[in-house]
Amino acid sequence: MNGNWLRVSPDELARARADLGWAYEFAMAQRGDNSERWAGTDKAWDGFDFLLDRLGFEIPLVSGTERFVELPDVEPDSDEMFDFLESLEDDWGYGPPSYLTPADVATAAARLATLTEDGLIRGVDPQELVRAEIYPGPWERPGALAWVAHYLPGVQSFFGAAARDGAAVICWLD
């Protein structure tokens, strides 16, 4: 399970909202080219999200702030949710994508710019991640938190460039 982001212009976001199939093909083409418009955190997405939440980061970088597809109001791990996701045409791996608006991206980029790798993990007890059942674990092994933190410079660069371009960001797990 990997966390992914795709930087898109406002016009491309509008097209994606109208045609999520086009957006998927566009995202896969950008990802395959190792484009500067695509970034990811590999399996560190949940740990990265947890560490940002712990610091009071208000923008949900991994899950996005806006949905392309409305999800039913049921328990996330329920049979009803599983059946709904199975019926989706717009499943990008682990459900449909979501997105961050250009304003969200600008806010996130400004806040990310103030962080350091050490600051992201300073004072974190790996048991916090274990208790919260953060994917992928195990968090007790040496270097596990540093592995998550090493993604920070790339994330800062990606969101900084997106903010400078006035771009939105599509978010998904696969």
Tab-separated table of all heavy atoms in Angstrom, residues 8 16 18 20 23 37 41 59 77-78 80 86-88 102 116 137 143 149 151 162:
chain	number	residue	atom	x	y	z
A	8	VAL	N	-1.635	18.852	-10.287
A	8	VAL	CA	-2.441	19.167	-11.469
A	8	VAL	C	-2.805	20.652	-11.466
A	8	VAL	O	-2.972	21.257	-10.410
A	8	VAL	CB	-3.730	18.318	-11.550
A	8	VAL	CG1	-3.406	16.844	-11.769
A	8	VAL	CG2	-4.605	18.487	-10.320
A	16	ALA	N	-10.476	16.371	-14.280
A	16	ALA	CA	-10.498	15.167	-13.446
A	16	ALA	C	-11.837	15.015	-12.739
A	16	ALA	O	-12.367	13.902	-12.626
A	16	ALA	CB	-9.360	15.207	-12.425
A	18	ALA	N	-14.641	15.946	-13.837
A	18	ALA	CA	-15.624	15.560	-14.857
A	18	ALA	C	-15.373	14.159	-15.400
A	18	ALA	O	-16.297	13.488	-15.849
A	18	ALA	CB	-15.615	16.570	-16.005
A	20	LEU	N	-12.980	11.049	-14.154
A	20	LEU	CA	-11.979	10.440	-13.277
A	20	LEU	C	-11.186	9.356	-13.995
A	20	LEU	O	-10.035	9.098	-13.651
A	20	LEU	CB	-12.661	9.891	-12.026
A	20	LEU	CG	-11.828	9.809	-10.758
A	20	LEU	CD1	-11.018	11.049	-10.490
A	20	LEU	CD2	-12.711	9.480	-9.573
A	23	ALA	N	-8.350	11.132	-15.474
A	23	ALA	CA	-7.399	11.478	-14.423
A	23	ALA	C	-6.517	10.281	-14.063
A	23	ALA	O	-5.311	10.428	-13.842
A	23	ALA	CB	-8.132	11.990	-13.189
A	37	ARG	N	5.761	15.951	-11.479
A	37	ARG	CA	4.380	16.190	-11.083
A	37	ARG	C	3.844	15.083	-10.179
A	37	ARG	O	2.759	15.207	-9.628
A	37	ARG	CB	3.500	16.323	-12.326
A	37	ARG	CG	3.897	17.566	-13.129
A	37	ARG	CD	3.080	17.712	-14.338
A	37	ARG	NE	1.701	18.019	-13.930
A	37	ARG	CZ	0.748	18.302	-14.799
A	37	ARG	NH1	0.997	18.316	-16.087
A	37	ARG	NH2	-0.461	18.562	-14.380
A	41	THR	N	5.142	8.489	-0.990
A	41	THR	CA	5.839	8.160	0.246
A	41	THR	C	5.938	6.654	0.444
A	41	THR	O	6.143	6.203	1.571
A	41	THR	CB	5.123	8.780	1.461
A	41	THR	OG1	3.771	8.344	1.453
A	41	THR	CG2	5.216	10.287	1.455
A	59	ILE	N	-3.764	20.151	7.391
A	59	ILE	CA	-4.131	19.694	6.047
A	59	ILE	C	-3.863	18.195	5.954
A	59	ILE	O	-2.731	17.753	6.152
A	59	ILE	CB	-3.317	20.433	4.961
A	59	ILE	CG1	-3.498	21.948	5.081
A	59	ILE	CG2	-3.678	19.926	3.575
A	59	ILE	CD1	-4.870	22.450	4.759
A	77	ASP	N	-14.407	-0.235	7.811
A	77	ASP	CA	-14.035	-1.640	7.606
A	77	ASP	C	-15.235	-2.573	7.508
A	77	ASP	O	-15.094	-3.786	7.629
A	77	ASP	CB	-13.120	-2.110	8.744
A	77	ASP	CG	-11.779	-1.407	8.722
A	77	ASP	OD1	-11.325	-1.038	7.620
A	77	ASP	OD2	-11.193	-1.218	9.808
A	78	SER	N	-16.423	-2.034	7.258
A	78	SER	CA	-17.635	-2.842	7.238
A	78	SER	C	-17.833	-3.539	5.894
A	78	SER	O	-17.241	-3.174	4.883
A	78	SER	CB	-18.858	-1.961	7.527
A	78	SER	OG	-19.069	-1.073	6.434
A	80	GLU	N	-20.506	-3.312	4.192
A	80	GLU	CA	-21.149	-2.334	3.310
A	80	GLU	C	-20.114	-1.496	2.567
A	80	GLU	O	-20.258	-1.238	1.376
A	80	GLU	CB	-22.094	-1.405	4.092
A	80	GLU	CG	-23.294	-2.095	4.674
A	80	GLU	CD	-23.080	-2.554	6.120
A	80	GLU	OE1	-21.943	-2.521	6.615
A	80	GLU	OE2	-24.060	-2.969	6.736
A	86	GLU	N	-15.989	-2.357	-3.910
A	86	GLU	CA	-15.923	-3.379	-4.953
A	86	GLU	C	-16.718	-2.967	-6.194
A	86	GLU	O	-16.375	-3.333	-7.311
A	86	GLU	CB	-16.457	-4.718	-4.428
A	86	GLU	CG	-15.500	-5.432	-3.520
A	86	GLU	CD	-14.354	-6.053	-4.273
A	86	GLU	OE1	-14.590	-6.829	-5.224
A	86	GLU	OE2	-13.201	-5.752	-3.920
A	87	SER	N	-17.785	-2.188	-5.996
A	87	SER	CA	-18.638	-1.793	-7.111
A	87	SER	C	-18.128	-0.550	-7.845
A	87	SER	O	-18.636	-0.206	-8.908
A	87	SER	CB	-20.065	-1.530	-6.622
A	87	SER	OG	-20.111	-0.332	-5.864
A	88	LEU	N	-17.133	0.103	-7.303
A	88	LEU	CA	-16.640	1.346	-7.900
A	88	LEU	C	-15.879	1.107	-9.191
A	88	LEU	O	-15.040	0.213	-9.274
A	88	LEU	CB	-15.685	2.056	-6.941
A	88	LEU	CG	-16.254	2.970	-5.905
A	88	LEU	CD1	-15.129	3.569	-5.070
A	88	LEU	CD2	-17.095	4.061	-6.499
A	102	PRO	N	-5.871	24.188	-4.575
A	102	PRO	CA	-4.686	25.046	-4.589
A	102	PRO	C	-4.481	25.796	-3.265
A	102	PRO	O	-3.338	25.942	-2.814
A	102	PRO	CB	-4.954	25.999	-5.755
A	102	PRO	CG	-5.773	25.176	-6.701
A	102	PRO	CD	-6.694	24.387	-5.790
A	116	THR	N	11.549	20.074	10.029
A	116	THR	CA	12.799	19.366	9.762
A	116	THR	C	12.546	17.879	9.995
A	116	THR	O	11.581	17.503	10.681
A	116	THR	CB	13.930	19.820	10.704
A	116	THR	OG1	13.573	19.463	12.059
A	116	THR	CG2	14.173	21.325	10.593
A	137	GLY	N	4.404	-0.758	10.096
A	137	GLY	CA	5.007	-1.404	11.254
A	137	GLY	C	6.054	-2.412	10.801
A	137	GLY	O	6.254	-2.600	9.605
A	143	GLY	N	15.605	2.797	13.394
A	143	GLY	CA	15.545	3.511	12.122
A	143	GLY	C	14.175	3.616	11.497
A	143	GLY	O	14.020	4.249	10.452
A	149	ALA	N	10.725	9.874	8.213
A	149	ALA	CA	11.166	11.275	8.155
A	149	ALA	C	12.000	11.570	6.913
A	149	ALA	O	11.995	12.712	6.433
A	149	ALA	CB	11.951	11.621	9.416
A	151	TYR	N	11.416	11.048	3.991
A	151	TYR	CA	10.563	11.492	2.886
A	151	TYR	C	10.282	12.995	2.938
A	151	TYR	O	9.858	13.584	1.946
A	151	TYR	CB	9.227	10.731	2.878
A	151	TYR	CG	9.367	9.326	2.355
A	151	TYR	CD1	9.501	8.249	3.223
A	151	TYR	CD2	9.392	9.069	0.989
A	151	TYR	CE1	9.642	6.961	2.745
A	151	TYR	CE2	9.526	7.779	0.500
A	151	TYR	CZ	9.650	6.733	1.387
A	151	TYR	OH	9.798	5.455	0.909
A	162	ALA	N	4.284	22.777	-6.198
A	162	ALA	CA	2.843	22.817	-6.495
A	162	ALA	C	2.254	24.154	-6.062
A	162	ALA	O	1.457	24.759	-6.790
A	162	ALA	CB	2.125	21.658	-5.813
